[in-house]
Amino acid sequence: MAGPGQSQQQQQQQVEERAEHLDDAEMALQGINMLLNNGFKESDELFRRYRTQSPLMSFGASFVSFLNAMMTFEEEKMQTACEDLRTTEKLCESDSAGVLETIRNKIKKSMDSQRSGVVVVDRLQRQIIVADCQVYLAVLSFVKQELSAYIKGGWILRKAWKMYNKCHSDISQLQESCQPKSSDQQESLSADNANHNTPLENGVTPEALDRLKGSVSFGYGLFHLCISMVPPHLLKIINLLGFPGDRLQGLSSLMYASESKDMKAPLATLALLWYHTVVLPFFALDGSDTHTGLLEAKAILQRKSVVYPNSSLFIFFQGRVHRLECHINSALACFHDALELASDQRELQHVCLYEIGWCSMIEMNFEDAYRSFERLKNESRWSQCYYAYLTGVNQGASGDLDGASGVFKDVQKLFKRKNNQIEQFAVKRADRLRKIFPTRELCILGVIEVLYLWKALQNCSSSKLQIMNQVLQSVNDASCRGLKHLLLGAIHKCHGNMRDALQSFQLAARDEYGRQINSYIQPYAVYELGCVLLAKPETVGKGRSLLLQAKEDFTGYDFENRLHVRIHSALASLKEVVPQ
């Protein structure tokens, strides 16, 4: 394997020079490691060069395409990723595709039993890849956040689930047959000093089985985490399709895969970092689970620092850890470093710019924030409408009200995805600010609002929260009264001032006038009241009742699915502490 200090060109040259001596499993792992060490272009070229000759190399090419789509959410890239994944499926399901015939067959000149073993491994590998492709196709469906997409994704996952179960069972049975039947056999195998590569009766080596177990564990683990992305009110439908979601099993499987020698081991590591630093903080009820996830993420980053010392992806996740620990300056330094290292990878640059924008909002550095979002508005093809709104509120918050007004006019023009809740929210907010002509205080209110909705207020320092408190107190617009109290309650909660938090949330929940403009305020305020009351044993019952009220008494408001997921997490955590 190429050393961590080598350039991408040196890594690529070494891979190609050794191609005649590699099997496709090792070459695929080389390609993934090249990708993670900033060799995006070289990795893509390597996988695409051999994609028609090997299911593994075809899967590598499709994964690179999928990764680009998930980093940008651009419709064009998501469509390309879907086409590439279906191409890989067809290759795996065809009888003509070999196991990198131009390379592997040159080193597979052995006995019939070994040839039989290659066939067994190849069959299992193809089935796992097909299941992986199905999971990725389901993820691409889920990110559309539409009911039809969730149903379609559920049916796709059903096929993948059956294949994972079958492959996992087959591999486990083969591994059991690998176990020595007596101590004499164990001594004999140990004496050989090469027992891990000794073929079984069917020609399959334990080493190959271990790699396959890592391969299926990656998809199996990602599958379970994918189920956790489904809104709770659709979980019954998902369960009817024949599979449950087990978060702990998913994390355990991904950890197993990350320590394997399969090409997806580094990808399992990335999936774990993504879960601990992005998914868990967004949906967690309180800080305890987030803290545990951060410890896991830091341990992973520490273990992999030698292998990926200058990887823009790993530096990006290091920035996420710093942000969640409220070390915003350190986070910004990481995101800027990752941005520079990803100079040839536009998709990763956009992810870094997005984080730089958010960290700048957290620091109330509105000028830097609007410059980041303005660049995204101009360069990214994903939700220019949303980026335009973020540009406008930050530009107005910085004091440039004329510039902000011009941007708010552009938001409606850039509104393309009529069923997307984020774009719907951006258009409504921009339209209102455009009509009344924005003030600096109202634009800062808009910034605080998105920080709240994206659960980033808890990343703000006490001094910044105090400034936000002061700005909110100065807002006297009657139509913003409920929103003002909701945000004040959230800030008091971040400060640990639960008494004032309760009072503010109660005022927000009672604001009938503001409900007509800000439909989500009441259900979110009721949810927040419930969460505060859950913290005290004597008010747990009342808190649970309020959570159910927020879930059942309101409908048709902004970010409804998002709140349902959080209510579901809160109730699930309650059941763990107080069994029903």
Side-chain angles (χ1 to χ4, degrees), residues 278-347:
V278 178
V279 176
L280 191 58
F282 191 71
F283 292 119
L285 170 62
D286 53 33
S288 58
D289 285 339
T290 302
H291 178 68
T292 302
L294 281 178
L295 293 178
E296 291 285 347
K298 291 171 77 171
I300 292 170
L301 289 167
Q302 180 65 32
R303 289 198 303 270
K304 301 299 180 181
S305 61
V306 176
V307 184
Y308 308 108
N310 297 308
S311 166
S312 54
L313 278 167
F314 280 84
I315 292 173
F316 168 82
F317 281 116
Q318 183 66 62
R320 285 288 307 177
V321 169
H322 284 311
R323 174 183 156 181
L324 293 169
E325 290 181 325
C326 302
H327 302 153
I328 305 302
N329 288 333
S330 297
L332 280 166
C334 285
F335 293 136
H336 280 292
D337 287 346
L339 179 66
E340 184 177 351
L341 288 167
S343 57
D344 294 330
Q345 182 68 7
R346 184 176 67 94
E347 293 79 10

Side-chain angles (χ1 to χ4, degrees), residues 138 142 147 149-158 161 223-224 226-245:
F142 288 152
L147 179 60
Y150 284 127
I151 300 301
K152 179 182 178 182
W155 282 108
I156 294 174
L157 283 177
R158 185 171 184 268
W161 175 244
F223 170 88
H224 279 289
C226 187
I227 292 299
S228 71
M229 295 168 61
V230 178
H233 64 280
L234 294 179
L235 282 177
K236 290 182 179 179
I237 299 176
I238 293 299
N239 289 333
L240 286 174
L241 293 176
F243 42 78

Side-chain angles (χ1 to χ4, degrees), residues 425-571:
F425 169 79
V427 166
K428 284 188 286 188
R429 284 291 185 269
D431 187 56
R432 181 173 179 277
L433 286 169
R434 179 178 59 82
K435 288 178 179 178
I436 64 173
F437 193 83
T439 65
R440 187 164 184 261
E441 289 72 23
L442 287 177
C443 287
I444 295 176
L445 174 73
V447 171
I448 300 171
E449 180 182 28
V450 293
L451 287 173
Y452 167 75
L453 288 170
W454 270 258
K455 296 200 76 170
L457 277 180
Q458 44 264 67
N459 301 148
C460 299
S461 66
S462 294
S463 60
K464 300 301 180 186
L465 289 171
Q466 188 59 42
I467 294 172
M468 292 178 192
N469 189 314
Q470 293 171 1
V471 172
L472 291 172
Q473 296 288 1
S474 69
V475 174
N476 295 314
D477 190 323
S479 64
C480 297
R481 188 182 299 117
L483 176 59
K484 167 185 172 178
H485 289 302
L486 177 66
L487 299 179
L488 282 172
I491 289 172
H492 289 312
K493 185 179 175 183
C494 289
H495 274 139
N497 187 351
M498 296 306 173
R499 189 174 185 178
D500 287 345
L502 273 173
Q503 184 178 0
S504 294
F505 289 141
Q506 286 168 347
L507 289 171
R510 290 198 295 263
D511 181 47
E512 291 293 339
Y513 176 69
R515 182 180 183 182
Q516 301 171 20
I517 299 172
N518 302 314
S519 61
Y520 78 88
I521 300 299
Q522 283 192 316
Y524 271 74
V526 173
Y527 157 77
E528 292 287 3
L529 279 170
C531 289
V532 172
L533 293 175
L534 286 182
K536 293 185 177 181
E538 62 271 22
T539 56
V540 166
K542 178 62 175 175
R544 183 175 183 276
S545 296
L546 286 171
L547 290 178
L548 292 173
Q549 180 185 342
K551 177 182 177 182
E552 297 167 1
D553 288 3
F554 304 93
T555 186
Y557 54 89
D558 293 330
F559 304 113
E560 183 174 353
N561 283 345
R562 185 176 298 186
L563 184 61
H564 278 204
V565 170
R566 292 177 184 173
I567 293 171
H568 177 76
S569 298
L571 292 172

Side-chain angles (χ1 to χ4, degrees), residues 2 5-15 17 34:
Q6 295 173 316
S7 68
Q8 285 76 49
Q9 291 78 10
Q10 289 175 317
Q11 291 181 38
Q12 183 183 26
Q13 184 178 1
Q14 282 194 359
V15 170
E17 286 177 352
M34 192 185 296

Side-chain angles (χ1 to χ4, degrees), residues 58 84 102 110 118 124 137 160 175 177 182 208 212 248 255 277 355 360 379 418 489-490 502-503 530 570:
S58 178
D84 287 343
T102 57
S110 195
V118 171
L124 288 168
L137 287 168
Q175 284 184 316
S177 68
S182 68
L212 285 174
L248 295 179
M255 184 61 73
T277 67
E355 287 293 337
S360 298
E379 295 181 11
K418 307 301 182 183
L502 273 173
Q503 184 178 0

